Structures are given as structure tokens and as C-alpha cells.
Amino acid sequence: MSALNDLINLNLADTTDKIIAEYIWVGGSGIDLRSKARTLTGPVTDPAKLPKWNYDGSSTDQAPGHDSEVILYPQAVYKDPFRRGNNILVMCDAYTPAGEPIPTNKRFDAAKVFSHPDVVAEEPWYGIEQEYTLLQKDVHWPIGWPVGGFPGPQGPYYCGVGADKAFCRDIVDSHYKACLYAGINISGINGEVMPGQWEFQVGPSVGISAGDQIWVARYILERITEIAGVVLTFDPKPIKGDWNGAGAHTNYSTKSMRADGGFDVIKKAIEKLGLRHKQHISAYGEGNERRLTGRHETADINTFSWGVANRGASVRVGRDTEKEGKGYFEDRRPASNMDPYVVTSMIAETTILWKP
Amino acid sequence: MSLLSDLLNLNLSDTTEKIIAEYIWIGGSGMDLRSKARTLNGPVTDPAKLPKWNFDGSSTGQAPGEDSEVIIYPQAIFKDPFRRGNNILVMCDAYTPAGEPIPTNKRFDAAKIFSQPDVVAEEPWYGIEQEYTLLQKNVRWPLGWPVGGYPGPQGPYYCGVGADKALGRDIVNSHYKACLYAGINISGINGEVMPGQWEFQVGPAVGISAGDELWVSRYILERITELADVVLSFDPKPIQGDWNGAGAHTNYSTKSMRNEGGYEVIKAAIEKLGLKHKEHIAAYGEGNERRLTGRHETADINTFLWGVANRGASIRVGRDTEREGKGYFEDRRPASNMDPYVVTSMIADTTILWKP
């Protein structure tokens, strides 16, 4: 295989100024990632300088066959950890030829919320804890689990070490470095409570970039699991029974919350979230009712609750924030398959713009 | 898979100042190691400059769900042999949010003993001989043993060479180099009497650092066995019958013992240890009664006995020490699953501070 690797790892900068740009977009299901690559004549770091492109929307359930062109607008550029050199990954969103965002384009409305002057003034920061499960290819059973059976019960796996406790760490660790290389603000990783489940965190990111970074981090993760021959799932409750689900806890703060007296601003914001619990829940990911049961470190889907250091609540405030009287809070409701554009903008909208 | 290694081996210092710090702590059983990683803005070599962090104690048996945050305080830094570059491993101990050490935090009390002026003045040195057994995953039977049966009796395996005598040497040798890389004071390795069992030694290490270095070397070992898909066991008597157990013989000396006339100081210290035999044994590792039988190079658990060059004694003094009239002695009682913070500080406490 090493002749193939030699070619994959060719450093083109020696022979040409051309670069390769991988354009990434979200497909018709709202959780399937798609990408294709094109050659550009020289290095580019500013998305505004990248050409718009298009793809066959009839093949991703995003356009009818007789009018299939969907236009991609580049929105964010990252270094490509797979091709390296001056090659790039480009996060895009999708529009009709007439310039209207297509229905699955959730970034467009999020960007509108984030460009509202009141939201801009509050500089909303997000730290998203993305959980995910790795499955053995073909059988779609979690990695490390005996096929046809179950591993020992949860307990030893959270942050665990050892061949019988941590499975596929190479995927997690290569993802960590690849994201740092790409310029994604990945802040950490840990093994999760269910064996075969892991988490990475992205943030703090401001406004719309939280969504861009999570989507590209998910893309990089799926490219890595592809290399490893393992299947990635963002299903919020991959295995029924006494096994934790997978979430995307969203940590949030505004300028006012980070300043002195912020704890009161936080409490008011949490109150507003409580008044719109049903609306948020319906936008926080498909299948979340299988996960938010009130057990396994979740709050029941029909209940809104909050508490300091309480992992069984909908919203958790850290002890540090309580002690210092300012800081941030954690919305534990979003599922692992949530759309970060939707969740981040909705939290900003409810807490900053909405008047009850 | 080599595309994955390209990513795992990415040298991030080319693209960013950021580093990854793997925070390590001991879990609720007192023997399970846990770790998770976070991104820091630049290289750090002083633990005092690292931020405190926290983990979900309800997932490790160290806190209840409604009040789950446990705080980890960085205590010692080592270079990360897996991520290399400027990335680090950080040995931590655990506290409540109010700043009290949690019950499983044995380092806190050890540190108090090691900072007593009388103990500081005596500069206690430790050399710990960590034995361990490698097991085949899934069946949990020693590496190289036929499943459902036994290898030939003990004899050829101690320091042995050859495919039928030394099993798992790649794990042992990569561990040796990884520890040296990390900055751990690993002084040697050898194959042990029972096939599939090995030993490494850490020291001489002064005071509290003996415990820090031993715990991090255990962590590095379990990360390596994880890579090798082999299970690591610190059980003191993994196989019943005519098979050696696994210990953590602790070699010890103080300034007075290392100086002229030290041999008398050694004898006085051994006498004090004899008076507190039961208390020490109770803290020297779970399951030690299965190992300390009086056979297989151990002394019976209920007997305190010392002798020069006597491997069947509780305490052994080397012939060199006897001949030079100064040196150190070896406490052979601790089991392989002992907590080095407890054992090292208890030996110092009994021999330096305690007045019978």
C-alpha cells in the first residue's frame, strides 16, 4: 500500500501553485454530509474569494430531476488535514439558482439571528460537546462489543484506559490532531460512559462559527472513520436498555453573563428557555425522546429543570459559575444529531431577542 | 491504516502553538486510571501554571449524580509519548468543589507526610519494582498460555529469551522507551518467573514523586497494552497454584541510611516496621493474602521476617548494603496493586516520624 500512500502524501507545492478545495455541504436528511473537490489556481484563505459552485440536488433529495442544480456558497475555509499543503476544506450552504436558501439550509436563518445588532452586542459564545458512537461495519453493532452479545455494564469505560475499556482511540486521537491542524477550535476529547462512545468539544466559538466548526469537525470525523473501516453514528440512543445515549450538550454565554452580576442574567435566560421548552425540544434533534428519559444523566423530555452541578437536569450551571457570580450554563437537551446552526441561533434568539 | 498514522503523527508545532494536555486521575476503585484531554494555548512545563479541571464523578463512583463535579488539581507533568511534540501528560489528584480531598485521593495525605520537616531532611528515596501480568483479551488468560491449559512449569521464563519463553516483549520494550521519553525515572525491566509476567522498576525517586511517577508509568503501560490489544492486570495472584504472584517490592533509603553508619539506622527502621506489620499489610494491596503464602519467594502474610539476601523474607537487605555498612533495604510485602502514595508515605511515616 505504500506506493498509494506516496501518491496520497505527494506535496504538490513543489511542482505547482494549484490547490485542491473540498466543498462540503449538508444533504437532504439534514444530517448527511456531502463533499466534492475542485482545483483552484492558487492558495485561498478568504471564503469571499472562492467561487460559488453547484451540485446535483436530485441525488441528495434537495431538488427535482428536471431542475436539479443547487448552488453552493462558500462560507468558511479550513486547512485540509488529509491533503495538507495549501489544500483546503470549504464549508458551504445551499441556494436555488434564484438565490433563495433551499429548505434544508439552516445556516441562512441562523446567520440572520447572529447578525441582529442586539445579538452581535452580546457576543454569544458556544462550547458544544459532540458525543458519537462507533459501530462495526456490516453488523452496525458498537465497536468492541461481542457480536450477538453485550459487554460488561457501564462503569469502567468513562475516560477509561486499556484494551478492555477504550475502543478505537486511534480514531479519536487522529481526529483531535486533524481538527487542530484544520484550524477548528477543538478544546478536548474524552471516552464516554457507554463503551464505543466518545466525545469531542468545540469552542468557545462566537456566533455562526460554532455551527460551521461543528459541521466541519463532523465531516473530518466521518472521513477518519471511513479510513478506519468503522461506521459513525450520531443516533441519540443507539442501544436500548441500560446504556447511555448520545447528546450534544451546548454550553452558552453572552457578554452580560460573563461580566460581573452575570449569574442573574443567566438565571433570567434559563427562565426564558423554560417558557419555550417545547419549541426548543422539537428542534433539538430527531429521536431525542428515546434518549431524554430522566435516566442515564438526562432530564425527562417533558420536564424542564435546572440545577448547579446537576447532570439530571435540562440545564446545568457549573459550580465555578455559581461561585464567581458569572460565567456560562450548559443546555443538556440537544441530541447528538442536532443541527448546530438551529440550536445555537435558537438559544441566542430566545435568550437575547425574545420578549415573553 | 497508514493514513490514520499520518494524522496521529501530525506534528502540530508547524501549524499552531496549541498543545494537548492529557489529565490523568485515579478512579473510584483506587486502581482504575482515567484520563481526558484538553487544548491549551501554548507549551507548559510547570504544573502550577496548568488550570484545574473537573470530571463527572458520578461516572467513576466518586460523586452522586445531583452533585457530580469532582475537581482535579494538576500535580506533575510528563511529556506525552503518544502525541509527542509539546503535548503533555498531567498527573492529578481529586477534590470536592469546596477544596477537600475526596476519600479516594491518597496523594493528599502522602504529600503532608513528605512535607514534614523531619521527612524532608531525611530525603527518602524509593525504587519500586512494579510486576504485572499480560492477559489475552476476551478470555483473560495469560498471554502465551494455551486457552484451556497451562504452559510448562516455571523455570525457563525469568529473564528468558525466545518465542516459547518471553511473551509480549514488544509491550515491555515500547513501555521502557515511552517512559524514558516522558521523563519518568524508569531504571530497568525484566521478564518474570511466571510466563506472561514482567517487571519494570522506577527510581530512585524522592518523596511524593515516587508515587506520581509510578502512577503515570502504569497509565503509559495500559495505553500501550490498549494499542497491543492485550489486557493488563495488577492482580497480586492472577493464577492459583504453582505460579508466582505479582508484587511491588519497594526499595527505600534515607539520608542517614545512605551515610556512614547507615546500617544501624536501617536495622532500627526495620524493627519499627516489624512493630507495625499488621497496619502496613492492611494498606499494602487488596488480595495480598492470596500472594503472601510463604512460598514462591514471599514471606507468609502473618509473619514479619527480615534477612540479608533472603527472598523468602518480608524485608530483604542486599549483600552490598551489609558489606558497606550503609545503603538501602527492600520491603517485599506490597502487592502489585498497591497504591504507591500510601506505601511510600507509610514507610516514611513509620521509620522517620513514628515513635513506638
Side-chain angles (χ1 to χ4, degrees):
Chain A
M1 276 298 223
S2 84
L4 216 56
N5 289 337
D6 292 338
L7 293 172
I8 291 181
N9 293 333
L10 263 177
N11 183 359
L12 294 170
D14 298 333
T15 48
T16 175
D17 268 342
K18 293 181 179 182
I19 67 145
I20 304 171
E22 187 87 34
Y23 280 51
I24 302 165
W25 71 96
V26 180
S29 77
I31 189 79
D32 57 312
L33 280 158
R34 309 278 180 156
S35 77
K36 54 175 182 155
R38 67 188 298 182
T39 309
L40 299 173
T41 47
V44 182
T45 46
D46 179 2
K49 297 206 162 59
L50 285 167
K52 294 187 169 80
W53 205 10
N54 64 78
Y55 67 92
D56 172 11
S58 68
S59 291
T60 61
D61 221 17
Q62 292 171 302
H66 55 273
D67 190 9
S68 62
E69 263 183 36
V70 178
I71 318 301
L72 293 171
Y73 291 25
Q75 299 292 358
V77 173
Y78 301 90
K79 286 161 67 68
D80 184 335
F82 306 101
R83 297 193 178 100
R84 298 185 287 283
N86 289 318
N87 305 303
I88 54 177
L89 302 178
V90 185
M91 188 63 207
C92 306
D93 62 345
Y95 296 77
T96 63
E100 293 300 309
I102 65 172
T104 53
N105 178 348
K106 305 300 178 194
R107 192 187 192 280
F108 186 80
D109 285 342
K112 279 201 299 192
V113 170
F114 285 120
S115 48
H116 190 290
D118 292 350
V119 176
V120 174
E122 280 290 359
E123 241 189 276
W125 287 8
Y126 299 90
I128 297 173
E129 305 169 39
Q130 175 74 68
E131 293 179 337
Y132 60 92
T133 314
L134 299 173
L135 307 176
Q136 304 171 43
K137 209 172 88 145
D138 301 341
V139 292
H140 278 228
W141 196 234
I143 44 140
W145 294 37
V147 176
F150 295 83
Q154 298 185 149
Y157 312 108
Y158 169 74
C159 301
V161 187
D164 49 348
K165 285 158 280 183
F167 308 124
C168 284
R169 189 190 295 271
D170 53 353
I171 289 175
V172 188
D173 275 350
S174 49
H175 178 250
Y176 200 163
K177 279 195 173 181
C179 285
L180 281 173
Y181 177 93
I184 294 195
N185 199 1
I186 182 167
S187 41
I189 55 120
N190 63 270
E192 268 304 328
V193 176
M194 181 178 120
Q197 207 169 82
W198 292 86
E199 168 180 316
F200 65 89
Q201 306 99 33
V202 173
S205 320
V206 186
I208 195 73
S209 77
D212 291 335
Q213 294 199 30
I214 281 286
W215 276 115
V216 178
R218 285 173 171 179
Y219 174 82
I220 291 174
L221 181 59
E222 192 144 33
R223 286 285 303 273
I224 287 175
T225 55
E226 183 189 306
I227 294 170
V230 159
V231 169
L232 172 66
T233 178
F234 290 113
D235 187 278
K237 190 76 173 184
I239 308 292
K240 286 192 291 199
D242 198 5
W243 304 100
N244 275 30
H249 304 159
T250 300
N251 296 278
Y252 171 70
S253 68
T254 59
K255 204 171 199 168
S256 310
M257 295 175 194
R258 298 188 289 272
D260 288 327
F263 196 52
D264 288 316
V265 183
I266 287 173
K267 285 195 280 193
K268 286 206 185 62
I270 295 177
E271 238 184 80
K272 288 169 98 179
L273 287 172
L275 293 172
R276 287 190 102 199
H277 177 67
K278 279 195 162 43
Q279 290 93 310
H280 277 247
I281 280 289
S282 65
Y284 273 14
E286 289 298 311
N288 215 1
E289 66 285 354
R290 290 181 281 120
R291 166 184 161 257
L292 294 181
T293 58
R295 296 177 59 223
H296 301 112
E297 301 172 274
T298 70
D300 178 75
I301 195 170
N302 297 309
T303 311
F304 182 83
S305 65
W306 78 275
V308 176
N310 184 353
R311 281 181 157 81
S314 321
V315 172
R316 165 174 156 262
V317 175
R319 288 225 172 271
D320 280 351
T321 295
E322 184 192 40
K323 195 177 352 128
E324 291 164 32
K326 57 185 175 176
Y328 66 96
F329 65 82
E330 177 193 22
D331 188 343
R332 294 175 64 80
R333 299 171 293 172
S336 40
N337 60 356
M338 62 81 155
D339 186 320
Y341 295 130
V342 171
V343 170
T344 56
S345 60
M346 201 173 197
I347 291 174
E349 192 183 19
T350 295
T351 59
I352 301 173
L353 300 176
W354 183 60
K355 316 281 176 226
Chain B
M1 276 299 221
S2 83
L3 293 183
L4 217 56
S5 344
D6 292 336
L7 292 173
L8 276 170
N9 295 331
L10 264 178
N11 183 359
L12 293 170
S13 1
D14 298 334
T15 46
T16 175
E17 286 278 299
K18 292 182 178 182
I19 65 144
I20 302 171
E22 186 86 33
Y23 280 50
I24 302 165
W25 73 94
I26 299 162
S29 76
M31 197 59 203
D32 54 314
L33 280 158
R34 308 277 180 158
S35 78
K36 56 176 181 155
R38 70 187 296 183
T39 308
L40 299 173
N41 289 328
V44 183
T45 46
D46 179 2
K49 297 207 163 57
L50 285 168
K52 294 186 168 86
W53 204 8
N54 64 76
F55 69 92
D56 173 11
S58 67
S59 289
T60 59
Q62 293 171 299
E66 348 55 85
D67 190 8
S68 60
E69 269 175 51
V70 177
I71 318 301
I72 32 185
Y73 291 22
Q75 299 292 358
I77 291 181
F78 300 89
K79 286 160 66 69
D80 184 335
F82 307 100
R83 296 195 179 100
R84 298 182 289 281
N86 288 318
N87 304 305
I88 54 177
L89 302 178
V90 184
M91 188 63 207
C92 305
D93 62 346
Y95 297 76
T96 62
E100 294 299 310
I102 65 172
T104 51
N105 178 349
K106 305 301 180 194
R107 191 188 193 279
F108 186 79
D109 286 341
K112 280 202 296 193
I113 288 171
F114 284 120
S115 48
Q116 289 284 319
D118 291 348
V119 176
V120 175
E122 280 290 1
E123 240 189 274
W125 286 9
Y126 298 90
I128 301 174
E129 306 170 36
Q130 175 73 70
E131 294 180 334
Y132 61 92
T133 314
L134 299 174
L135 307 175
Q136 303 170 47
K137 207 171 91 149
N138 299 339
V139 292
R140 302 187 77 96
W141 196 234
L143 195 62
W145 294 36
V147 175
Y150 294 83
Q154 298 184 148
Y157 311 109
Y158 170 74
C159 300
V161 186
D164 49 347
K165 284 157 278 181
L167 311 153
R169 191 190 295 274
D170 52 352
I171 290 171
V172 186
N173 275 344
S174 50
H175 178 248
Y176 200 164
K177 283 195 173 179
C179 284
L180 282 171
Y181 176 95
I184 294 194
N185 201 359
I186 183 168
S187 41
I189 56 118
N190 61 270
E192 268 302 328
V193 175
M194 181 179 118
Q197 207 169 81
W198 294 84
E199 169 180 316
F200 65 90
Q201 307 99 31
V202 173
V206 187
I208 196 73
S209 75
D212 291 335
E213 293 193 33
L214 195 74
W215 273 115
V216 178
S217 66
R218 286 175 170 177
Y219 174 83
I220 291 174
L221 181 59
E222 191 145 36
R223 285 286 302 272
I224 287 175
T225 54
E226 185 188 303
L227 284 168
D229 219 27
V230 158
V231 170
L232 173 64
S233 170
F234 288 113
D235 188 277
K237 191 74 175 184
I239 308 291
Q240 285 173 325
D242 199 5
W243 304 99
N244 274 31
H249 304 158
T250 301
N251 297 277
Y252 172 70
S253 69
T254 59
K255 205 171 198 166
S256 309
M257 295 174 194
R258 298 189 288 272
N259 288 334
E260 296 303 316
Y263 196 52
E264 295 309 311
V265 183
I266 287 174
K267 284 196 281 192
I270 293 177
E271 237 184 83
K272 288 168 99 179
L273 286 171
L275 293 171
K276 282 193 116 192
H277 177 69
K278 278 194 160 44
E279 291 90 329
H280 277 245
I281 281 288
Y284 274 14
E286 288 299 309
N288 215 2
E289 65 285 353
R290 290 182 281 120
R291 165 182 162 259
L292 294 181
T293 57
R295 296 178 59 222
H296 300 112
E297 302 172 272
T298 70
D300 178 76
I301 197 170
N302 296 309
T303 310
F304 183 83
L305 176 66
W306 78 274
V308 176
N310 184 353
R311 276 182 162 77
S314 322
I315 306 252
R316 164 173 154 262
V317 176
R319 290 222 172 274
D320 281 352
T321 295
E322 186 193 34
R323 190 166 9 104
E324 290 164 33
K326 58 185 175 172
Y328 65 96
F329 65 82
E330 177 193 23
D331 187 344
R332 293 176 64 79
R333 297 170 293 170
S336 42
N337 59 355
M338 62 81 153
D339 186 321
Y341 294 131
V342 171
V343 171
T344 56
S345 61
M346 202 173 196
I347 291 175
D349 193 15
T350 296
T351 58
I352 300 171
L353 298 176
W354 184 57
K355 315 281 174 227

